[in-house]
Amino acid sequence: DVKVTQSSRYLVKRTGEKVFLECVQDMDHENMFWYRQDPGLGLRLIYFSYDVKMKEKGDIPEGYSVSREKKERFSLILESASTNQTSMYLCASSATLVISGSYDIQYFGAGTRLSVL
Amino acid sequence: RKEVEQDPGPFNVPEGATVAFNCTYSNSASQSFFWYRQDCRKEPKLLMSVYSSGNEDGRFTAQLNRASQYISLLIRDSKLSDSATYLCVARGNTGGFKTIFGAGTRLFVKA
């Protein structure tokens, strides 16, 4: 059974703080993703990584950075948290399909609900 | 216009009812389609993939209409446990394999 674990379910931070959200997967997946989910907007991709030390910007990377030093771990960093970054953050991982090279089904962590005051 | 659009609902139906959700996508290059289910305050989980010929899994039937660029999900004999948000997902097979999630359709099944 695939397991994607996010380090915190709930976080409360102050404006200007540096925030680290951690995600670990145990299925040896190549690909990992960070999304944020807001009411009425669905999931929006922040960053993804298809290999160790590789990262690609998603649709809304501004104000975020990521780190992937090990295959199983993908970290999302808010360099200076702002109130508009209050959201639910979801990490996901997937394997790479051998035939097409595209992403297989994504498996999600339980999410981190971040409040920035 | 959003790349994947869904009626947000909520759909309120009695147990045993049949309910259908539609989803439209704007990128004709999208190749793979999925329905995810998300319970309140939980993570999305894959419900089913959507194949060109349509596919069925128990009480759930998914259909794809490429010409009209829409995907549907039909739930028959609704159960209380079907209450959740259903997310429509479209993914390309080129250009970074971009995956776009719809905002979801909320379903409440009542006794």
Side-chain angles (χ1 to χ4, degrees):
Chain A
D1 215 18
V2 177
K3 190 148 183 168
V4 180
T5 304
Q6 293 183 231
S7 53
S8 306
R9 289 300 305 274
Y10 301 95
L11 272 180
V12 180
K13 296 290 181 181
R14 297 203 177 276
T15 303
E17 278 194 78
K18 190 168 185 176
V19 182
F20 292 87
L21 302 183
E22 306 285 348
C23 176
V24 177
Q25 50 96 3
D26 66 358
M27 283 303 293
D28 202 35
H29 283 169
E30 296 85 4
N31 313 300
M32 296 188 74
F33 309 81
W34 274 107
Y35 295 88
R36 63 177 283 176
Q37 185 175 31
D38 300 287
L41 297 178
L43 277 78
R44 292 181 291 165
L45 182 64
I46 304 171
Y47 268 96
F48 68 98
S49 168
Y50 53 88
D51 201 352
V52 175
K53 296 193 185 293
M54 306 302 289
K55 60 184 179 184
E56 293 283 345
K57 292 180 180 178
D59 298 316
I60 51 165
E62 297 77 19
Y64 303 95
S65 63
V66 290
S67 172
R68 192 155 180 214
E69 297 296 317
K70 293 184 178 181
K71 191 174 185 180
E72 67 271 19
R73 188 180 296 270
F74 192 35
S75 304
L76 180 70
I77 303 147
L78 286 66
E79 295 290 342
S80 178
S82 62
T83 54
N84 63 12
Q85 292 178 308
T86 291
S87 186
M88 168 69 91
Y89 289 87
L90 288 157
C91 174
S93 73
S94 75
T96 297
L97 293 171
V98 174
I99 294 176
S100 65
S102 65
Y103 303 134
D104 200 356
I105 296 158
Q106 294 185 33
Y107 295 88
F108 286 85
T112 297
R113 192 168 290 278
L114 173 67
S115 296
V116 182
L117 306 177
Chain B
R1 186 188 168 193
K2 294 178 185 175
E3 290 191 60
V4 175
E5 292 210 65
Q6 299 182 246
D7 182 342
F11 285 59
N12 293 290
V13 302
E15 265 189 300
T18 296
V19 61
F21 305 138
N22 286 331
C23 164
T24 58
Y25 61 96
S26 61
N27 186 352
S28 59
S30 297
Q31 293 294 319
S32 304
F33 306 92
F34 309 89
W35 284 100
Y36 277 72
R37 172 197 168 123
Q38 185 173 23
D39 292 299
C40 189
R41 299 189 177 276
K42 296 285 184 78
E43 72 273 23
K45 291 184 179 178
L46 180 71
L47 177 66
M48 57 197 305
S49 302
V50 186
Y51 303 121
S52 296
S53 55
N55 48 300
E56 191 173 306
D57 183 2
R59 298 182 294 109
F60 298 85
T61 301
Q63 295 276 355
L64 167 63
N65 184 319
R66 286 190 186 276
S68 301
Q69 293 184 203
Y70 81 76
I71 309 125
S72 64
L73 177 68
L74 184 78
I75 305 175
R76 290 180 298 278
D77 188 23
S78 300
K79 311 290 184 193
L80 295 176
S81 57
D82 292 335
S83 297
T85 297
Y86 292 85
L87 307 176
C88 173
V89 183
R91 187 182 73 203
N93 278 6
T94 58
F97 313 114
K98 192 172 183 182
T99 301
I100 304 295
F101 286 78
T105 298
R106 201 95 183 266
L107 172 66
F108 292 105
V109 181
K110 52 189 189 298

